[in-house]
Amino acid sequence: QEGMPQTLSSTSMFTPCGFSPHLHTSKEDEQGGLIFQDGNLTSASLDALIQHLIPTTDYYPEKAYIFTFLLSSRLFIEPHELLSRVCHKCIEQQRLDDPVLDKARIRKFGPKILQLLTEWTETFPYDFQEERMIGHLKDMIHRIAPCDEAYWKKMNQLLQTLNQKLATLSHGQEGIVKISAAVSDKLVAFKSKPPSIQREILSVCSDPYTLAQQLTHVELERLSHIGPEEFVQAFVHKDPLDGTKSCFSEQKKTSNLEAYVKWFNRLCYLVATEICMPAKKKQRAQVIEFFIDVARECFNIGNFNSLMAIISGMNMSPVSRLKKTWSKVKTAKFFILEHQMDPTGNFYNYRTALRGAAHRSLTAHSNREKIVIPFFSLLIKDIYFLNEGCANRLPNGHVNFEKFLELAKQVGEFITWKQVECPFEQDPNIIHYLHTAPIFTEDGLYLASYESESPENQTEKDRWKSLR
């Protein structure tokens, strides 16, 4: 059983850095139903947290608070219900139902509520795929618009930007779905060695640097579709105070996250397939050395997800059993990479390298230096442990806000990374190959492996027999 995940500190805009500095740092201090410890918000009732989100004429919530609360609130209340409550409270507090509006007052409040709605649409655009969300948003702006013409323009801008963003995201999703469909047809994945017309990776791209860059393209493209809320929605349990249902009972909105994990698995199998396919030992060794160079370049770029997939592919037993092939490989470079991704000490070496890359990213002058693509399934596991390790609510029914600050820190850092523009030129040919080249099933890999180097012991002989 590993310990609690270590988390990385980051100074991105999402990182909650202590809330209101002016609060006294007494041990515990209550303010409007919010409990602070040393100036940091630690817990509160859901109502108090919603109230804390709502701007007034002279108050606007901190950016870090907005992100943390919008991210975690979905464990307790659906986004459309939250927005509805926010709007109702604004209408009450700013008396937006009065026959005659207090224009001077609303001109102070208007820009703040617009700002809040803008931040929500920018950070959690998927929330607004729901008609109800757009309805609440328009209703709010319609109420304040009579006080200032500019609010109409602001609303149109906001909706336009949101529509563009959703269109781009769904276009990307459709692309991924198309590719996945194409790939699953190809997963007929040969049970036996394919005909020689099968192209192999080296005929498509023989330069390890280029392949590492194209893999980075695929990773960043797929990362860009993952909404921060997917990390929370992946672990939605029933909320104890709402005995009826879990918030997202109808569907877990985590499709981009799942598609990304599938891509990792595909890359592992693609690497193993490319190594097991050639008939000659010398060619197999050449493919292994090629992938070692690709992996090393991925490490240099900061693309740890592709790096881990390549190493995992090489460590699959149909590949690692090819002793005669490996004897022809200069393995020193491979051992260095394996050491970097060694799971001991809760992936201590990798976490150190990741922190280095994250640090480089913060001080970067070019997009190339900004790239940080974490080993994704470990990130999910960390978030899972964080989620399992502490309760969402305290015994008194308060929301355990301290936990969600930690969650926001991890997810917020990830959001910073996923926004990096890929600095490398795209090669559609190579990218198409990565997504569509046929790959062996696990049985297919063993068959190819036994045909290349015959079984060593009784277990392998039996396995080969049953496969044939």
Side-chain angles (χ1 to χ4, degrees):
Q1 184 59 19
E2 290 162 12
M4 274 296 280
Q6 295 127 342
T7 52
L8 312 168
S9 60
S10 138
T11 48
S12 75
M13 62 170 264
F14 297 106
T15 310
C17 316
F19 276 46
S20 314
H22 56 265
L23 287 162
H24 0 287
T25 53
S26 66
K27 263 341 229 175
E28 212 168 78
D29 163 38
E30 185 167 352
Q31 233 203 9
L34 304 172
I35 307 290
F36 289 88
Q37 186 109 31
D38 297 335
N40 291 327
L41 179 53
T42 53
S43 76
S45 67
L46 187 58
D47 282 340
L49 290 171
I50 294 174
Q51 187 56 60
H52 196 56
L53 180 70
I54 294 172
T56 63
T57 49
D58 52 9
Y59 162 77
Y60 188 75
E62 292 191 17
K63 221 178 175 70
Y65 176 77
I66 296 172
F67 177 67
T68 306
F69 185 58
L70 290 181
L71 178 70
S72 55
S73 60
R74 58 200 68 241
L75 289 168
F76 309 102
I77 178 174
E78 290 192 46
H80 72 88
E81 207 179 313
L82 176 62
L83 184 54
S84 160
R85 284 174 67 175
V86 166
C87 292
H88 281 300
K89 288 195 175 203
C90 288
I91 291 166
E92 246 171 63
Q93 287 162 19
Q94 302 303 326
R95 302 209 290 280
L96 298 178
D97 268 343
D98 286 6
V100 179
L101 296 175
D102 177 346
K103 287 195 177 184
R105 175 179 174 157
I106 289 169
R107 281 202 191 101
K108 279 187 189 162
F109 166 74
K112 294 187 170 145
I113 188 69
L114 280 167
Q115 175 63 28
L116 180 69
L117 294 170
T118 305
E119 281 187 52
W120 194 333
T121 56
E122 280 172 357
T123 319
F124 298 95
Y126 288 122
D127 285 353
F128 292 85
Q129 280 172 317
E130 265 203 77
E131 276 304 308
R132 286 181 286 192
M133 291 290 284
I134 301 283
H136 294 315
L137 184 123
K138 285 182 171 169
D139 175 60
M140 190 66 237
I141 296 171
H142 278 248
R143 287 169 183 277
I144 60 172
C147 297
D148 193 332
E149 280 297 297
Y151 296 160
W152 291 116
K153 209 168 128 192
K154 263 291 217 279
M155 176 173 81
N156 287 328
Q157 263 175 331
L158 193 155
L159 290 173
Q160 222 176 339
T161 314
L162 178 63
N163 283 332
Q164 276 167 343
K165 197 157 187 176
L166 285 172
T168 315
L169 290 168
S170 74
H171 178 69
Q173 275 177 308
E174 278 159 29
I176 287 175
V177 171
K178 272 202 203 94
I179 287 170
S180 304
V183 170
S184 57
D185 298 341
K186 292 243 170 49
L187 274 182
V188 229
F190 325 107
K191 280 284 190 179
S192 58
K193 288 228 168 165
S196 53
I197 50 164
Q198 159 76 5
R199 287 202 302 172
E200 85 274 277
I201 189 78
L202 288 171
S203 69
V204 179
C205 175
S206 56
D207 174 42
Y209 289 92
T210 307
L211 188 61
Q213 294 180 354
Q214 296 309 304
L215 284 167
T216 304
H217 243 294
V218 175
E219 299 278 352
L220 285 170
E221 160 70 18
R222 287 181 166 247
L223 277 186
S224 70
H225 296 119
I226 299 173
E229 70 285 352
E230 295 191 42
F231 290 101
V232 174
Q233 283 156 197
F235 307 122
V236 166
H237 296 314
K238 274 204 178 68
D239 179 22
L241 292 194
D242 175 18
T244 51
K245 58 177 177 45
S246 115
C247 293
F248 290 89
S249 45
E250 74 284 9
Q251 80 198 95
K252 286 214 172 158
K253 304 175 183 164
T254 52
S255 52
N256 299 297
L257 195 138
E258 286 158 28
Y260 189 51
V261 174
K262 277 192 188 128
W263 150 253
F264 178 91
N265 294 335
R266 170 171 170 80
L267 184 53
C268 294
Y269 274 85
L270 181 65
V271 168
T273 299
E274 295 286 346
I275 295 170
C276 291
M277 225 164 31
K280 294 195 168 66
K281 183 167 61 191
K282 192 176 157 193
Q283 284 170 304
R284 289 194 299 273
Q286 191 190 353
V287 177
I288 291 178
E289 295 202 322
F290 172 72
F291 275 119
I292 292 171
D293 289 337
V294 174
R296 195 164 79 163
E297 186 52 22
C298 285
F299 180 83
N300 294 336
I301 289 174
N303 177 356
F304 298 106
N305 203 50
S306 292
L307 164 66
M308 197 58 169
I310 294 171
I311 292 175
S312 307
M314 290 184 174
N315 281 328
M316 287 175 82
S317 44
V319 177
S320 59
R321 68 169 289 282
L322 298 170
K323 308 270 189 304
K324 294 178 185 130
T325 304
W326 280 95
S327 70
K328 297 248 169 281
V329 173
K330 302 185 194 72
T331 47
K333 286 192 287 193
F334 181 61
F335 294 139
I336 291 169
L337 287 172
E338 255 198 327
H339 176 67
Q340 281 297 345
M341 303 310 272
D342 178 13
T344 352
N346 193 8
F347 286 91
Y348 180 80
N349 297 346
Y350 157 69
R351 290 180 192 277
T352 308
L354 181 68
R355 269 200 294 275
H359 185 73
R360 171 184 76 181
S361 171
L362 288 174
T363 55
H365 297 300
S366 68
N367 270 352
R368 169 131 201 183
E369 296 171 329
K370 278 191 190 136
I371 299 171
V372 185
I373 300 169
F375 168 30
F376 194 64
S377 53
L378 187 62
L379 175 69
I380 291 180
K381 196 169 133 192
D382 283 353
I383 289 175
Y384 176 77
F385 276 128
L386 170 64
N387 196 56
E388 289 296 298
C390 339
N392 290 340
R393 290 199 189 253
L394 304 175
N396 64 359
H398 270 196
V399 170
N400 181 1
F401 204 73
E402 222 170 346
K403 167 180 176 172
F404 296 121
L405 285 173
E406 193 47 58
L407 184 73
K409 194 155 126 186
Q410 296 195 19
V411 176
E413 186 163 44
F414 168 80
I415 292 187
T416 316
W417 295 337
K418 84 177 185 117
Q419 288 166 342
V420 175
E421 287 280 317
C422 191
F424 310 117
E425 206 171 321
Q426 200 170 358
D427 184 321
N429 206 4
I430 299 174
I431 288 184
H432 181 73
Y433 184 86
L434 289 171
H435 280 127
T436 58
I439 51 179
F440 284 129
T441 55
E442 195 169 355
D443 286 351
L445 283 172
Y446 274 108
L447 268 171
S449 178
Y450 295 143
E451 275 173 44
S452 300
E453 295 186 20
S454 47
E456 297 264 297
N457 53 38
Q458 202 49 51
T459 321
E460 291 196 343
K461 282 178 185 149
D462 294 345
R463 176 149 201 179
W464 195 20
K465 210 165 159 184
S466 74
L467 285 173
R468 280 187 305 181

